[in-house]
Amino acid sequence: MQNISNISSAVAKKALVLISFGTTVAETRRLTIAAVEQQTQAAFPDYTVCRAFTSRQVIATLRERDGLVVDTPAQALQKLQHEEYTDVIVQPLLLLPAEEFHVKIIAALAAFRGVFPQLHVGWPLLALTDDLHAVADAISQQFPALGAQEAVVLMGHGTRHPANAAYCALAYIFDDRAQGTFLVGTVEGYPELSHVIKQLRQRQIRHVTLLPLMLVAGDHARNDMAGAGADSWRNRLVEAGLTVTVKMQGLGENPAIQAIYLRHIRRAIAGNSAANFSAAVAC
Ligand code: CO
């Protein structure tokens, strides 16, 4: 017969920490981050689902302006440690395994090595090649009937980190499929909008739908993509002679994208942890 303490220590306490950059825009947060959290909780009912943001600026704005408290990754893990969780899965809702992933997530986890009997990290959205294909599927399914002179232009964030190459790989996959024209540009990386405009001219496109290639339709989507300024993507495309439709929708709203995150969580639970690949970069 087991005594009480043995019984309680044998019970696994499981948590899933979903980590995004965060957004101060409440509406898109509800439609994307909260929607992924709800799907995750429904798919993994024996896990406690927790939220953390990597952006200290977003966290501070939400606290000061809205009275909404969101943890950093380290704070979320400290709470789980105090509550004696045993199995912790960290799933980034980031797109790339770039700076935020390595510096804000993988490095933060280093302090918790050995704290939890099980600690695994899922891959971001655009990490492995089958993810790129799945994301291309998820996006092209949203636009089943593009005309010959129509294109979808995806606005990614972009980064100086080598993981930026995933944008080019995704663009290559879209081209390879030849299921309509899907072009990829970035705000802060390569390719830029000027490259996209060159492609649009070469392909004789006249109408463009703009869609954020980002989890949320937040500040970048509202300002860089669709803002009133002359240098917004919408206005530069109009200036280039195209008609433009804006789809103010974060990727996190797309059920097929949500399903990819759930698949990454399943893989992390099975022990296929992104941290195994990232340890060298984190140290
Ligand atoms: Co930014």
Side-chain angles (χ1 to χ4, degrees):
M1 248 217 321
Q2 289 183 300
N3 65 35
I4 298 293
S5 72
N6 280 348
I7 289 169
S8 68
S9 67
V11 174
K13 279 183 86 176
K14 301 177 176 183
L16 263 160
V17 188
L18 302 185
I19 307 181
S20 57
F21 181 84
T23 175
T24 59
V25 181
E27 176 70 356
T28 191
R29 194 169 62 241
R30 181 177 69 77
L31 293 170
T32 60
I33 295 169
V36 175
E37 289 164 351
Q38 284 154 16
Q39 292 295 323
T40 303
Q41 190 63 81
F44 304 96
D46 51 339
Y47 283 78
T48 305
V49 175
C50 315
R51 171 186 292 180
F53 291 168
T54 59
S55 169
R56 289 190 172 270
Q57 202 183 331
V58 168
I59 290 172
T61 301
L62 290 175
R63 190 180 52 231
E64 286 152 25
R65 190 194 66 190
D66 303 340
L68 183 67
V69 176
V70 181
D71 289 330
T72 63
Q75 287 168 341
L77 289 160
Q78 276 154 16
K79 285 182 184 171
L80 295 174
Q81 182 180 6
H82 285 143
E83 292 169 25
E84 298 183 342
Y85 274 79
T86 56
D87 297 32
V88 176
I89 304 295
V90 171
Q91 177 58 51
L93 303 185
L94 306 169
L95 265 68
L96 300 181
E99 285 105 324
E100 295 292 315
F101 176 71
H102 290 295
V103 176
K104 302 281 185 64
I105 298 181
I106 296 294
L109 290 178
F112 297 89
R113 245 174 232 144
V115 166
F116 305 106
Q118 295 289 330
L119 175 62
H120 296 293
V121 190
W123 284 106
L125 188 67
L126 295 170
L128 310 177
T129 304
D130 62 343
D131 297 331
L132 297 169
H133 284 283
V135 169
D137 284 337
I139 293 170
S140 49
Q141 280 159 16
Q142 270 187 271
F143 302 92
L146 281 180
Q149 294 188 307
E150 285 180 70
V152 175
V153 171
L154 300 160
M155 189 194 76
H157 191 283
T159 170
R160 292 176 303 133
H161 190 279
N164 186 79
Y167 294 113
C168 303
L170 181 62
Y172 190 100
I173 287 171
F174 278 125
D175 272 355
D176 191 45
R177 299 171 163 223
Q179 296 168 321
T181 304
F182 293 83
L183 300 176
V184 180
T186 68
V187 184
E188 296 176 19
Y190 177 89
E192 298 173 15
L193 180 58
S194 58
H195 302 110
V196 171
I197 290 174
K198 196 167 139 192
Q199 293 264 315
L200 291 168
R201 290 213 170 103
Q202 280 168 3
R203 300 176 193 215
Q204 297 177 312
I205 302 293
R206 303 180 72 98
H207 183 78
V208 158
T209 299
L210 272 172
L211 181 75
L213 185 63
M214 298 181 181
L215 178 69
V216 302
D219 275 338
H220 282 298
R222 291 170 148 211
N223 300 314
D224 299 299
M225 189 181 84
D231 57 352
S232 76
W233 284 34
R234 185 216 305 249
N235 286 336
R236 284 175 64 193
L237 289 165
V238 168
E239 184 65 27
L242 294 134
T243 56
V244 179
T245 302
V246 166
K247 225 169 167 48
M248 194 55 72
Q249 194 180 83
L251 289 180
E253 292 183 47
N254 183 325
I257 298 283
Q258 297 171 0
I260 298 171
Y261 284 123
L262 297 188
R263 205 174 70 212
H264 287 200
I265 292 169
R266 252 174 241 119
R267 285 185 194 161
I269 290 172
N272 179 357
S273 180
N276 298 340
F277 290 83
S278 306
V281 184
C283 296

